[in-house]
């Protein structure tokens, strides 16, 4: 997998290095301020960030929640580059782990190493998580949570009314889709944009192989795995899903689609557990009215992402204090419990009590530990945890073309996938050189 930075971006970053962080966090009348650039704009996400804002205020830090909507984070990433170019670098910015490697090369990354050492993060984070938030071996970002991506959310009453059992295997899943459609019920809420389809594709790939196959194909980008018969099968299953998806879904957001399931206007949604926040906001209880089920056929893989915020270089003691308080607060047990209950994820800090969490969170935590022991934890492709930049763009392009072009065969999609990924890797290598 390529971890490179375009020469253009490097040039821009280098020219801005001396000005980094100038406007990110300022001392105002003895009270620290900090900008937190992110793409959390749904109701539950905004509620989660409000938890952080309140807790930082208690520590004398005023946080500006600079949330940018749209694009699954793409718009926020564009704003981040724009702010750096205009000398308005945020003190903290949401950056997924693979991109931390890129920012590390720019020289604009600050350090949270002293905070991490004082807080004993090495003992409180899983090794894979800790490694993902470091720059040159030092902590540069703070992780917020662990999300599971390959969940199936099911409206239980709608299934009962239709006389359909909650599916546990792929054949049962397809049977359920057929029965629901025959009953006049929209089987799946989804397909609103490429990001949502890619999220479904993540889960579908894990139905045709185990965690090792997923890792080979979508993390290591192994050409034999990408061009395999299993991948052909995955694309065929993605087309099956489309046949049972709301035909009017184009342009609808993921949280809108979650609402369709909650209101009984669709039976199921394949989505990460951030959907829980929307379920709760709509007055329902995850695991009670809306079932949380492992995506049928995904028992051997826990596809995850963890949200992280990077500290950029700042030039004043008061600004660095804001970052330190931010990081220390995020890693506190109190924040881990309050934030993750609101966000729908589980604590990234190991051994945090789950007392008061819903049954889906407890199930997720149990499955996470089981997957850790079995080496079945795999970072998600669709949420920027495995791939970024040109490679991710190539995969998304093929998925979108296949999903929107019914005449394109699964075999043709696989051929395009292997070719486009190889080309993207080569181009990334050239730009790095």
């Amino acid at each position: 997998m390529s971890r490179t930075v375009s020469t253009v971006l490097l040039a821009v970053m280098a020219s801005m290095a001396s000005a980094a962080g100038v406007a990110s966090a300022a001392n105002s009348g003895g009270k620290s301020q900090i900008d937190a650039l992110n793409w959390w704009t749904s109701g539950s996400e905004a509620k989660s960030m409000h938890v952080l804002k309140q807790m930082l205020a208690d520590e004398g830090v005023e946080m500006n929640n600079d949330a940018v909507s749209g694009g699954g984070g793409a718009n926020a990433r564009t704003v981040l580059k724009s702010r750096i170019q205009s000398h308005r670098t945020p003190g903290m910015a949401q950056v997924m782990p693979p991109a931390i490697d890129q920012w590390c090369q720019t020289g604009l990354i600050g350090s949270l190493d002293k905070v991490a050492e004082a807080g004993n993060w090495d003992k409180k984070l899983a090794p894979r998580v800790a490694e993902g938030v470091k720059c040159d071996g030092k902590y540069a970002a703070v992780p917020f949570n662990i999300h599971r991506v390959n969940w199936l959310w099911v409206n239980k009453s709608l299934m009962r009314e239709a006389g359909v059992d909650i599916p546990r295997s792929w054949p049962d899943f397809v049977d359920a889709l057929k029965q629901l459609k025959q009953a006049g019920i929209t089987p799946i809420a989804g397909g609103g944009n490429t990001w949502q389809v890619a999220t479904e594709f993540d889960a579908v790939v894990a139905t045709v192989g185990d965690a090792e196959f997923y890792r080979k194909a979508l993390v290591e980008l192994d050409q034999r795995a990408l061009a395999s018969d299993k991948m052909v099968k995955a694309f065929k299953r993605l087309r099956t899903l489309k046949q049972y998806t709301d035909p009017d879904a184009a342009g609808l957001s993921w949280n809108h689609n979650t609402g369709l399931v909650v209101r009984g206007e669709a039976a199921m949604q394949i989505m990460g557990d951030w959907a829980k926040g929307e379920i709760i906001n709509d007055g329902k209880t995850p695991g009670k009215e809306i079932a949380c089920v492992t995506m049928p056929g995904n028992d051997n893989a826990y596809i995850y992402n963890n949200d992280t915020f990077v500290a950029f270089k700042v030039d004043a003691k008061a600004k660095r204090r804001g970052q330190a308080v931010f990081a220390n607060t995020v890693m506190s047990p109190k924040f881990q419990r309050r934030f993750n209950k609101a966000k729908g994820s589980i604590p990234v800090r190991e051994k945090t009590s789950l007392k008061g969490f819903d049954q889906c969170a407890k199930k997720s935590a149990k499955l996470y530990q089981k997957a850790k022991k079995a080496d079945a934890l795999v970072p998600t492709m669709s949420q920027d945890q495995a791939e970024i930049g040109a490679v991710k763009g190539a995969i998304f392009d093929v998925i979108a073309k296949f999903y929107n072009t019914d005449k394109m065969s699964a075999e043709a999609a696989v051929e395009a996938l292997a070719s486009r990924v190889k080309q993207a890797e080569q181009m990334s290598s050239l730009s790095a050189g």
Side-chain angles (χ1 to χ4, degrees):
M1 177 173 57
S2 175
R3 291 286 179 266
T4 61
V5 185
S6 74
T7 49
V8 174
L9 179 59
L10 275 171
V12 171
M13 300 301 105
S15 69
M16 298 300 155
S18 62
V22 168
S24 62
N27 186 284
S28 175
K31 188 171 185 177
S32 297
Q33 294 178 328
I34 191 164
D35 287 354
L37 180 65
N38 64 89
W39 56 82
W40 287 338
T41 57
S42 75
S44 60
E45 291 167 340
K47 184 178 178 181
S48 305
M49 285 302 278
H50 187 64
V51 170
L52 179 57
K53 188 179 180 73
Q54 282 186 317
M55 291 186 66
L56 289 177
D58 291 342
E59 297 296 329
V61 175
E62 182 181 346
M63 184 188 84
N64 173 35
N65 181 21
D66 192 359
V68 180
S69 66
N75 294 344
R77 288 187 284 274
T78 299
V79 170
L80 175 59
K81 293 173 186 175
S82 174
R83 287 190 57 164
I84 289 172
Q85 291 175 23
S86 59
H87 298 195
R88 297 183 301 113
T89 306
M92 302 295 296
Q94 188 176 7
V95 175
M96 300 303 280
I100 294 174
D101 283 350
Q102 289 191 338
W103 284 107
C104 186
Q105 296 176 49
T106 68
L108 296 180
I109 295 291
S111 175
L112 296 175
D113 222 39
K114 289 183 179 178
V115 180
E117 184 178 357
N120 201 18
W121 288 12
D122 283 344
K123 297 291 185 183
K124 294 171 181 173
L125 295 174
R128 282 184 183 272
V129 173
E131 195 58 35
V133 294
K134 290 181 179 178
C135 171
D136 292 333
K138 298 183 180 299
Y139 284 97
V142 58
F144 276 53
N145 54 6
I146 296 289
H147 274 299
R148 190 185 194 197
V149 176
N150 48 337
W151 282 113
L152 180 68
W153 303 95
V154 186
N155 186 306
K156 294 167 72 174
S157 63
L158 202 58
M159 298 290 277
R160 277 196 299 271
E161 289 171 15
V164 179
D165 293 332
I166 295 176
R168 306 290 178 180
S169 66
W170 180 262
D172 288 348
F173 186 38
V174 175
D175 285 345
L177 296 174
K178 290 177 181 175
Q179 292 177 60
L180 288 164
K181 191 169 184 177
Q182 288 170 358
I185 296 170
T186 300
I188 298 176
N193 52 39
T194 302
W195 174 81
Q196 291 180 62
V197 177
T199 302
E200 294 177 349
F201 189 69
D202 257 342
V204 165
V205 170
T207 70
V208 301
D210 56 12
E212 181 59 22
F213 173 73
Y214 182 99
R215 192 177 290 119
K216 280 283 184 186
L218 297 182
V219 182
E220 299 173 6
L221 305 175
D222 181 273
Q223 279 288 309
R224 286 178 298 180
L226 288 171
S228 66
D229 291 342
K230 287 183 178 178
M231 195 57 78
V232 171
K233 193 173 181 179
F235 274 100
K236 288 181 176 178
R237 288 187 170 184
L238 181 64
R239 180 148 291 157
T240 297
L241 290 183
K242 183 186 176 184
Q243 293 171 359
Y244 296 99
T245 297
D246 177 8
D248 300 318
L252 299 180
S253 65
W254 69 268
N255 45 313
H256 174 91
N257 288 327
T258 302
L260 293 179
V261 176
V262 173
R263 294 191 298 274
E265 296 173 30
M268 298 181 278
Q269 182 188 26
I270 300 165
M271 186 53 59
D273 49 19
W274 47 88
K276 285 197 308 180
E278 299 304 311
I279 295 169
I280 294 169
N281 274 357
D282 286 342
K284 304 297 183 184
T285 303
K288 189 175 179 182
E289 298 94 341
I290 308 299
C292 48
V293 182
T294 295
M295 172 68 179
N298 277 198
D299 290 335
N300 295 323
Y302 186 109
I303 305 174
Y304 74 94
N305 78 273
N306 62 280
D307 295 298
T308 56
F309 277 62
V310 164
F312 283 88
K313 281 183 177 176
V314 290
D315 59 0
K317 185 177 180 181
K319 300 171 187 175
R320 291 193 293 275
R321 175 184 177 274
Q323 291 178 324
V325 173
F326 184 103
N328 201 46
T329 299
V330 167
M331 280 295 290
S332 70
K334 181 179 179 182
F335 175 82
Q336 285 287 307
R337 287 177 47 77
R338 289 183 60 188
F339 175 87
N340 285 299
K341 285 172 75 174
K343 184 72 163 52
S345 40
I346 60 174
V348 70
R349 176 178 166 137
E350 298 268 308
K351 299 181 180 178
T352 299
S353 170
L354 294 179
K355 185 178 181 181
F357 277 68
D358 60 67
Q359 61 179 279
C360 297
K362 292 175 181 176
K363 182 188 290 186
S364 181
K366 185 176 180 180
L367 292 170
Y368 178 80
Q369 293 299 330
K370 180 182 177 183
K372 239 184 14 173
K373 291 179 182 176
D375 195 26
L377 291 175
V378 287
T380 167
M381 173 277 296
S382 64
Q383 320 296 317
D384 298 325
Q385 196 83 24
E387 310 301 340
I388 54 176
V391 172
K392 179 194 166 186
I395 296 173
F396 268 43
D397 284 349
V398 174
I399 291 172
K401 185 175 182 180
F402 176 77
Y403 195 82
N404 296 315
T405 310
D406 289 340
K407 291 183 179 179
M408 186 178 190
S409 69
E411 288 79 4
V414 163
E415 184 178 347
L417 180 69
S419 173
R420 289 289 307 277
V421 166
K422 186 175 183 178
Q423 184 182 42
E425 286 190 291
Q426 290 172 338
M427 293 303 293
S428 297
S429 299
L430 287 174
S431 68

